[in-house]
Amino acid sequence: MTQPRLSRRGLLGGSVAAAGAAGAFAAGRATASEPDEAARAASYAFRGEHQAGIVTPAQDRLHFAAFDVTTDDRDELVALLRDWTEAADRMTQGGSAGEVGPVEGDPLLPPDDTGEAIGLPPSGLTITFGFGPSLFDDRFGLADRRPGVLRRLPHFPADALDPATSDGDLCVQACADDPQVAVHAVRNLARIAFGRASVRWSQLGFGRTSSTSTSQSTPRNLFGFKDGTENVKAEDGAALADHVWVGADDDPAAGWLAGGSYLVARRIAMRIETWDRQPLADQEAFVGRAKGSGAPLTGTDEHDAPDFNAATGTVTTIAPDAHVRVVHPDAHGGVRMLRRGYNFVDGSNALGGLDAGLFFLAFVRDPDTHFVPVQMAMARSDALMEYLQTTGSALFAVPPGVGEGEHVGQALFA
Amino acid sequence: MTQPRLSRRGLLGGSVAAAGAAGAFAAGRATASEPDEAARAASYAFRGEHQAGIVTPAQDRLHFAAFDVTTDDRDELVALLRDWTEAADRMTQGGSAGEVGPVEGDPLLPPDDTGEAIGLPPSGLTITFGFGPSLFDDRFGLADRRPGVLRRLPHFPADALDPATSDGDLCVQACADDPQVAVHAVRNLARIAFGRASVRWSQLGFGRTSSTSTSQSTPRNLFGFKDGTENVKAEDGAALADHVWVGADDDPAAGWLAGGSYLVARRIAMRIETWDRQPLADQEAFVGRAKGSGAPLTGTDEHDAPDFNAATGTVTTIAPDAHVRVVHPDAHGGVRMLRRGYNFVDGSNALGGLDAGLFFLAFVRDPDTHFVPVQMAMARSDALMEYLQTTGSALFAVPPGVGEGEHVGQALFA
């Protein structure tokens, strides 16, 4: 069902009682009458072959939340996913979370939108949903539909995970070019979930650390280096098919996931104060790239392929423990990821430093082949590890896109 | 001394050894050769009569940090303020934190800029410094220069302060239209302070909750309401003189503060999940304004003056405990504030909700007359208090602007 496109401006009167009539929306509250605002920012369709927020050109702000389902009733879970789908469909188009709006409803009822996004354009909002391994326990009858590779990530050396900021039954990734729009989305989805699911942990991020389109330049992480140079890009359909989208025959138990992906989320704290005291040459040796240009130490341009055999005498130019060597596809059978992480600063730590780092997000076709071996190699032998500590970790199956009249993950429950 | 205007792009070669020569900067690394980038964003002068970041049109992102001074040496404190001044002067103009740059220096030394802002325009960055009451203890010989009203704020009913996120010897307010630029500023000032001061607490914010210029519309807080409608604006010089800037004769002990201000910082957590379940009419009654337009319940336009005597029968239209009535200047001898707060979401709380709220920042001429009575009235009788809990609190004296060749707060140490 196509949702009417509501305005979230909420300034056109507070007594439109015919809230259920699509005609009333179209006449009284459509944004079509506000072309300037509509033009102010991009919007992305919520429905489609794949979920938005994966190959969508990475927006600059993130609010990510993991939820625990608090009901044991399968029907209530399905109803939640249906409600979330309708709300996400509206909000990504610049509309309200609910079908009435923040100020248009019965004043004796709580509004069905919280209002802080009134007047804000869509701001490129995407909302992407995922299912954690724990959703497939015995509560909802989904155990036999769990993909074989959807299980808690293994313990990696130097992980220091806080259970309170790891895992989750469900996840919501909200990306936008305005943090207030991303926060509004997660906050309203949490509100809608009341009594059925509650926020387990949430993470804000900024300054996308990867580009997902060839139209975007490569941004910098809080080590000051360009990050995600070799990312899978939206324009490379073959790479997406090989490395990001789950194939129809990948897992007999999980045909419902075909066209979806797996989302790895890792909260990686950086010891930035220690990093900042390292000589530039050491920083570049640890990464294997020049800090300014992002070029590999064997090249001059960011996108030059690193030459891992180049050496001065017996010393390779790119060190054995350089990050670019340890995680390079050449060392892992050619596997690539679509990374979509964000920088974060969460206040300060007990040592008088900033609690800062990288909230790593990567979409892969198979975590067992595309993430775990790469992360294991990095944890074991990457020079950067001295400056990193992973404090949160989660894996989610991201179902394919949502068709008209469907809710997210519908095939899983069919 | 005018600082050379450096680029922080850091892409013009890594071996400019004549780092101390201003001529080399002007020739090789000035942003003047990159007019497109320079035009991409506003920049504000760091030096001037008043510090920037007060009447400057409120930018959309905040990184605020409070520091503890870790040296007992007055000269080291002064040297820190001098170093901070020079770094702030550079960074607000789009330059690097240090005079060499993130990638231009000796590769065997740590860079004097951390690099994550390479390529980013000034983004309207302002950096505003303040001095907490504790700076005036017996460590630095400043006790007899402490303004009489610069002391810890009193305990207000319902305060639930965390000492770890309250107070501080020094503060830095970094505002910008790109969070990565604001974070880069605070991170580099913390790096520069190493061994002399360390971060006590820090707070990120977004979605400015006040406008400080008549050119700006009034934004919304996380209750969904417009916030700061009656704010003191940059264009109202008389109000600034009356309510924001400290006068030359305000305090005989603190002539050094003339032209400065006091900054009240309060981290106010909002019980947003409970708020979201209140009927719209109740929300509007608690605030005393319409949620959509922001108009007082007795008016139709946001900027209509509220009519506190209007009533239906014996019931006043604006309730006795409505926020707009309790804090209105008419109830407090006409005092006004220049508010400059931000929304925040700091992950989630133990109850399955979002740890969200308002990071309240207000600049006032005198906290004893312009803040404490208003806050006390609010804490005692404001209907909003049921949905608020203040978890952090601090007061700082904000010295006047910095002249050429001076460092911030120079008159305090003269």
Side-chain angles (χ1 to χ4, degrees):
Chain A
M1 184 182 75
T2 303
Q3 297 297 324
R5 181 130 179 279
L6 306 189
S7 165
R8 56 185 170 204
R9 293 182 63 91
L11 299 178
L12 301 170
S15 60
V16 179
F25 295 125
R29 284 182 273 136
T31 49
S33 61
E34 297 157 335
D36 286 346
E37 172 166 279
R40 266 204 291 154
S43 69
Y44 299 106
F46 176 72
R47 297 174 192 270
E49 180 183 2
H50 306 290
Q51 286 197 66
I54 303 173
V55 301
T56 309
Q59 305 94 325
D60 213 39
R61 310 286 184 270
L62 168 80
H63 192 182
F64 190 97
F67 289 77
D68 289 328
V69 179
T70 53
T71 177
D72 287 338
D73 186 312
R74 179 182 167 120
D75 291 341
E76 288 191 4
L77 171 60
V78 171
L80 170 62
L81 295 174
R82 186 174 298 118
D83 292 346
W84 272 5
T85 296
E86 293 179 3
D89 199 0
R90 280 188 285 263
M91 289 191 287
T92 54
Q93 305 312 303
S96 300
E99 57 184 9
V100 176
V103 297
E104 292 82 354
D106 181 342
L108 300 183
L109 294 177
D112 66 6
D113 181 282
T114 56
E116 70 269 28
I118 293 173
L120 300 180
S123 307
L125 175 68
T126 56
I127 299 172
T128 314
F129 296 99
F131 301 148
S134 52
L135 194 71
F136 298 81
D137 60 16
D138 56 7
R139 287 174 291 170
F140 308 109
L142 299 174
D144 61 357
R145 311 206 71 182
R146 182 178 65 80
V149 298
L150 183 66
R151 53 185 184 272
R152 289 189 69 192
L153 292 171
H155 176 82
F156 298 102
D159 273 7
L161 303 184
D162 178 355
T165 57
S166 295
D167 305 318
D169 292 332
L170 303 169
C171 77
V172 175
Q173 172 195 275
C175 300
D177 285 317
D178 182 333
Q180 185 126 337
V181 169
V183 163
H184 170 264
V186 168
R187 184 248 192 104
N188 277 275
L189 294 174
R191 182 183 55 77
I192 290 167
F194 182 67
R196 298 179 288 188
S198 65
V199 176
R200 179 179 174 86
W201 54 272
S202 99
Q203 179 71 52
L204 266 70
F206 61 89
R208 62 185 173 82
T209 59
S210 301
S211 53
T212 55
S213 165
T214 54
S215 67
Q216 298 185 299
S217 62
T218 309
R220 291 178 185 272
N221 62 28
L222 292 183
F223 284 152
F225 278 76
K226 292 188 178 184
D227 203 335
T229 292
E230 297 301 328
N231 212 27
V232 174
K233 302 290 201 312
E235 292 80 3
D236 188 350
L240 291 172
D242 286 348
H243 300 293
V244 177
W245 305 130
V246 174
D249 302 322
D250 282 9
D251 187 329
W256 60 271
L257 191 57
S261 191
Y262 292 91
L263 172 57
V264 177
R266 308 264 297 169
R267 185 183 183 280
I268 305 172
M270 292 175 163
R271 305 184 208 277
I272 58 172
E273 291 81 10
T274 314
W275 176 262
D276 289 345
R277 281 173 225 134
Q278 307 311 311
L280 176 63
D282 286 0
Q283 293 183 7
E284 294 184 332
F286 298 155
V287 176
R289 292 183 178 274
K291 196 168 186 178
S293 66
L297 295 181
T298 55
T300 56
D301 180 81
E302 180 193 346
H303 294 283
D304 287 346
D307 178 356
F308 296 118
N309 298 316
T312 306
T314 58
V315 180
T316 56
T317 307
I318 296 176
D321 62 354
H323 178 69
V324 69
R325 181 191 291 271
V326 173
V327 304
H328 197 272
D330 288 357
H332 299 282
V335 297
R336 298 171 63 193
M337 309 179 194
L338 189 151
R339 292 182 47 187
R340 219 173 186 289
Y342 288 82
N343 298 324
F344 71 81
V345 175
D346 291 345
S348 53
N349 60 35
L351 300 175
L354 296 176
D355 183 5
L358 172 68
F359 187 64
F360 174 98
L361 294 171
F363 291 89
V364 294
R365 180 175 180 174
D366 182 336
D368 278 7
T369 55
H370 282 60
F371 176 75
V372 172
V374 182
Q375 179 60 35
M376 195 61 81
M378 185 173 166
R380 285 187 171 138
S381 57
D382 192 314
L384 285 184
M385 286 303 295
E386 188 174 346
Y387 305 94
L388 301 174
Q389 185 170 54
T390 300
T391 63
S393 178
L395 177 67
F396 301 95
V398 174
V402 184
E404 295 298 332
E406 294 181 356
H407 65 78
V408 66
Q410 183 156 325
L412 170 61
F413 295 90
Chain B
M1 183 185 76
T2 303
Q3 298 295 327
R5 181 127 182 281
L6 307 187
S7 165
R8 56 185 169 204
R9 293 183 64 90
L11 299 176
L12 301 171
S15 61
V16 180
F25 294 127
R29 282 184 272 136
T31 50
S33 62
E34 295 156 335
D36 288 345
E37 171 165 280
R40 266 203 292 154
S43 68
Y44 298 106
F46 176 71
R47 297 174 192 270
E49 181 184 2
H50 307 290
Q51 287 197 66
I54 304 173
V55 300
T56 309
Q59 304 93 324
D60 213 39
R61 310 289 184 269
L62 168 81
H63 192 183
F64 189 97
F67 290 77
D68 289 327
V69 178
T70 54
T71 177
D72 286 338
D73 186 313
R74 178 182 168 120
D75 291 341
E76 288 191 3
L77 171 60
V78 171
L80 170 61
L81 295 174
R82 186 175 298 117
D83 293 347
W84 272 5
T85 297
E86 293 179 2
D89 200 359
R90 280 188 285 264
M91 289 192 286
T92 53
Q93 306 312 303
S96 300
E99 57 184 10
V100 176
V103 297
E104 292 83 352
D106 182 343
L108 301 183
L109 295 177
D112 66 5
D113 181 282
T114 56
E116 69 269 28
I118 292 174
L120 300 181
S123 307
L125 176 66
T126 55
I127 298 173
T128 314
F129 296 100
F131 301 147
S134 52
L135 195 71
F136 297 82
D137 60 16
D138 56 6
R139 287 173 292 170
F140 308 109
L142 299 173
D144 62 356
R145 312 205 72 182
R146 182 178 64 80
V149 298
L150 183 66
R151 53 185 183 271
R152 290 188 67 192
L153 293 170
H155 175 82
F156 298 102
D159 272 8
L161 303 184
D162 178 355
T165 56
S166 296
D167 306 319
D169 292 333
L170 303 169
C171 79
V172 175
Q173 172 196 277
C175 300
D177 285 318
D178 183 333
Q180 185 125 335
V181 169
V183 163
H184 170 264
V186 167
R187 185 248 191 105
N188 277 275
L189 295 175
R191 182 183 55 77
I192 289 167
F194 181 68
R196 298 179 287 188
S198 66
V199 175
R200 178 178 175 86
W201 53 273
S202 98
Q203 178 71 53
L204 266 70
F206 61 89
R208 64 184 172 80
T209 57
S210 300
S211 53
T212 56
S213 165
T214 54
S215 66
Q216 299 184 299
S217 62
T218 308
R220 290 177 186 273
N221 61 29
L222 293 182
F223 284 151
F225 278 76
K226 293 189 180 185
D227 203 335
T229 292
E230 296 302 328
N231 213 27
V232 174
K233 303 290 202 311
E235 292 79 4
D236 188 349
L240 292 171
D242 286 347
H243 300 294
V244 177
W245 305 129
V246 173
D249 303 321
D250 281 10
D251 187 329
W256 61 270
L257 190 57
S261 191
Y262 292 92
L263 172 56
V264 178
R266 308 264 297 170
R267 184 182 184 281
I268 305 172
M270 292 175 162
R271 306 184 207 277
I272 58 172
E273 292 80 11
T274 314
W275 176 263
D276 289 347
R277 281 174 226 133
Q278 307 312 309
L280 177 63
D282 286 359
Q283 294 182 6
E284 294 185 331
F286 299 155
V287 176
R289 292 182 178 275
K291 195 167 187 177
S293 65
L297 295 181
T298 55
T300 56
D301 180 80
E302 180 193 348
H303 293 284
D304 287 347
D307 179 356
F308 295 119
N309 297 315
T312 306
T314 59
V315 179
T316 57
T317 308
I318 297 175
D321 62 354
H323 178 69
V324 68
R325 180 191 292 270
V326 173
V327 303
H328 197 271
D330 290 356
H332 300 281
V335 297
R336 299 172 63 193
M337 308 180 195
L338 188 152
R339 292 182 47 187
R340 219 173 187 288
Y342 288 83
N343 298 325
F344 71 82
V345 175
D346 291 345
S348 52
N349 60 34
L351 298 176
L354 296 176
D355 183 4
L358 171 68
F359 188 63
F360 173 97
L361 294 171
F363 292 89
V364 294
R365 181 174 180 176
D366 181 337
D368 278 7
T369 55
H370 282 61
F371 176 75
V372 172
V374 182
Q375 179 60 35
M376 196 60 80
M378 185 175 167
R380 285 187 172 139
S381 58
D382 192 315
L384 286 184
M385 287 303 295
E386 187 174 346
Y387 306 94
L388 301 174
Q389 185 171 55
T390 301
T391 64
S393 178
L395 177 66
F396 301 96
V398 175
V402 184
E404 295 298 332
E406 294 181 354
H407 65 77
V408 66
Q410 184 154 324
L412 171 60
F413 296 89

